[in-house]
Amino acid sequence: MDRLIEGHLYQNTLTQLTEAASLMKLDPNILERLKKPKRAILVSVPTRMDDGTVKVFDGYRVQHSSTLGPCKGGIRYHEGVNLSEVSALAMLMTFKCALAGLPLGGAKGGVRVNATKLSRSEKQRLTRRYTSEISSFIGPDRDIPAPDIGTDAQTMAWIMDTYSQEQGYAVPSVVTGKPIEIGGSLGRNTSTGRGVLYSVEEACNHLKIKQDFNIKVAIQGFGEVGASAATCAQELGLCITAVSDVGSGLYNEKGLNIPAVKEYYQKNRTLKGYKEADSITNDELLTSKCDVLVPAAIDGVVHENNAKNVKAKIIAEGANGPVTLEGHHILVDKGVFVVPDILANAGGVIVSYFEWVQDLQNFFWSEKEINSRLRDIMSTTFRVSLEHSNRHKIDMRKSAMITAVSRVSSAMLLRGLYPQ
Ligand code: GLU
């Protein structure tokens, strides 16, 4: 398996795990197991295109650990998806769930496809075939997928329907991030962005930074995470100076009007051409003048070559792995406070957990209750990691990882190794 899963993000994740293991003197037998996924499923996804031809895409579902509960994690449709990336992201999910104290393990799935090039019906056929290929490995007690890059509530509805048709009855709890009408949770679609901002609030409190319109926030990515982080930042009274999508960015030193930017983006599917701002590139956004930087697009965007030019005092990782380890060391040496991905972007899986619980009970909560429970978990998780970081004089990435790994490790030792 080693050769199949080696790759940049996997190596990064493994380095974080082994560094945490040596600092906390982790049982080497536990470390050996955590370095690899429990199970990696590789499937072909033959899909009929609108022109009648059949294209075969590579699909994956990797389950890293089910020690704390059913595996949990998103499904990504992207051209860059491969077994190594999905395995790294599955491992991060194990630690993200453990850090937030959720009774869930870690998984991730994906299909190697450019989803923006698919028509709606092609995407539906691909999703249903992919679901049917992995259906014996998922389920409310086994593994519960959710949205990630390139997938959304509609994609989850197709997965839920395909799985339910195979079972013969409706099984809403097989996926989270569904539309509300079929058992989705209020607040799920904004939960990751909201959680990122709750972690920024905690970081500001810790650094004694007053949160008002003088605080400038730059957000990379205007998908579900970036756009909802922007809305939440505005609700909290902060000034959003920059946002970007895949191909273009906007900058306004005096602050962007987020509802107007969102409306423009919804209408045009691009930020390009929006009048009330200067245009900047994605790279320029990362090093633009700001106090808080939220990279909420893809991995590896802050690295050894641009980290030294980052001006933010706080970075909250909205995406998974947006800062490379080399970049991270440069930032920490510069005194930048980095809230790591497994903490900063945990809001998504936290509300996914709420959705799963609501589906299992057939009893639904109000949005107010969901957001307040989310805020509680985010702030407890932040404080536990911060306390650990202060006590052991380590950065937040290490302290979050150690907290997560020690929870998984205790559970593994209690459950024991079986069958032998
Ligand atoms: N894809 C999201 C993540 O990376 C959400 C996962 C989930 O809700 O299960 O955290």
Side-chain angles (χ1 to χ4, degrees), residues 41-48 54-61 110-112 125-135:
I41 304 142
L42 212 147
V43 296
S44 289
V45 188
T47 305
R48 190 167 304 278
V54 173
K55 280 202 180 140
V56 183
F57 298 98
D58 292 338
Y60 310 89
R61 184 73 186 167
V111 179
R112 191 175 175 82
R125 287 193 289 270
L126 174 134
T127 301
R128 288 185 182 279
R129 182 60 189 252
Y130 167 67
T131 306
S132 134
E133 292 297 337
I134 62 163
S135 68

Side-chain angles (χ1 to χ4, degrees), residues 73-388:
I75 289 174
R76 176 174 287 201
Y77 289 173
H78 193 268
E79 274 171 321
V81 162
N82 57 49
L83 188 59
S84 167
E85 181 188 84
V86 178
S87 303
L89 294 167
M91 190 192 292
L92 282 173
M93 284 308 301
T94 298
F95 300 132
K96 197 185 297 189
C97 292
L99 179 64
L102 309 179
L104 296 166
K108 199 78 168 198
V111 179
R112 191 175 175 82
V113 60
N114 182 345
T116 61
K117 296 243 164 77
L118 297 175
S119 69
R120 181 186 155 93
S121 39
E122 287 168 344
K123 193 169 176 182
Q124 175 168 183
R125 287 193 289 270
L126 174 134
T127 301
R128 288 185 182 279
R129 182 60 189 252
Y130 167 67
T131 306
S132 134
E133 292 297 337
I134 62 163
S135 68
S136 36
F137 298 99
I138 61 172
D141 301 317
R142 278 187 189 158
D143 180 1
I144 308 132
D148 200 87
I149 294 172
T151 57
D152 56 13
Q154 178 60 72
T155 323
M156 297 305 115
W158 291 325
I159 297 179
M160 178 269 188
D161 185 67
T162 308
Y163 185 84
S164 298
Q165 294 297 348
E166 285 184 4
Q167 300 298 308
Y169 52 91
V171 191
S173 50
V174 65
V175 281
T176 58
K178 299 177 293 294
I180 305 294
E181 295 85 337
I182 54 167
S185 175
L186 292 168
R188 173 62 184 87
N189 55 353
T190 56
S191 57
T192 313
R194 201 165 265 288
V196 171
L197 261 292
Y198 291 159
S199 78
V200 169
E201 252 190 323
E202 293 288 341
C204 287
N205 290 340
H206 163 61
L207 299 172
K208 305 205 172 19
I209 296 175
K210 192 157 167 260
Q211 293 156 65
D212 56 22
F213 202 68
N214 289 318
I215 301 302
K216 298 189 184 327
V217 185
I219 301 174
Q220 186 189 45
F222 211 63
E224 214 145 75
V225 182
S228 52
T231 303
C232 188
Q234 199 152 55
E235 272 171 35
L236 294 173
L238 312 181
C239 172
I240 298 104
T241 47
V243 295
S244 66
D245 63 13
V246 185
S248 48
L250 303 175
Y251 181 79
N252 186 335
E253 202 188 4
K254 297 202 172 68
L256 295 159
N257 176 346
I258 295 303
V261 175
K262 272 175 114 171
E263 203 185 306
Y264 183 88
Y265 186 71
Q266 258 151 27
K267 208 150 80 212
N268 302 288
R269 301 317 301 163
T270 172
L271 294 170
K272 206 176 267 158
Y274 179 78
K275 292 274 181 299
E276 312 299 315
D278 298 329
S279 87
I280 51 167
T281 65
N282 260 303
D283 283 345
E284 286 164 351
L285 179 143
L286 297 167
T287 54
S288 66
K289 198 164 160 268
C290 65
D291 303 289
V292 178
L293 174 65
V294 178
I298 47 163
D299 64 275
V301 292
V302 178
H303 42 71
E304 63 208 76
N305 299 328
N306 62 1
K308 60 178 181 308
N309 300 326
V310 166
K311 309 208 176 40
K313 300 182 192 77
I314 298 172
I315 296 190
E317 294 188 322
N320 290 313
V323 178
T324 65
L325 283 186
E326 297 80 5
H328 179 77
H329 294 313
I330 297 172
L331 294 171
V332 170
D333 287 347
K334 262 166 62 110
V336 180
F337 188 86
V338 183
V339 190
D341 47 5
I342 60 168
L343 170 51
N345 72 29
V349 74
I350 292 170
V351 178
S352 272
Y353 164 63
F354 297 161
E355 180 172 332
W356 178 64
V357 168
Q358 291 171 86
D359 286 339
L360 293 176
Q361 296 183 337
N362 288 303
F363 179 72
F364 291 86
W365 315 341
S366 71
E367 188 157 2
K368 197 165 153 229
E369 180 163 9
I370 284 158
N371 289 343
S372 113
R373 284 179 190 259
L374 168 63
R375 195 179 209 139
D376 278 355
I377 299 187
M378 286 303 298
S379 100
T380 310
T381 308
F382 185 96
R383 285 169 202 188
V384 168
S385 303
L386 181 65
E387 204 260 318
H388 209 94

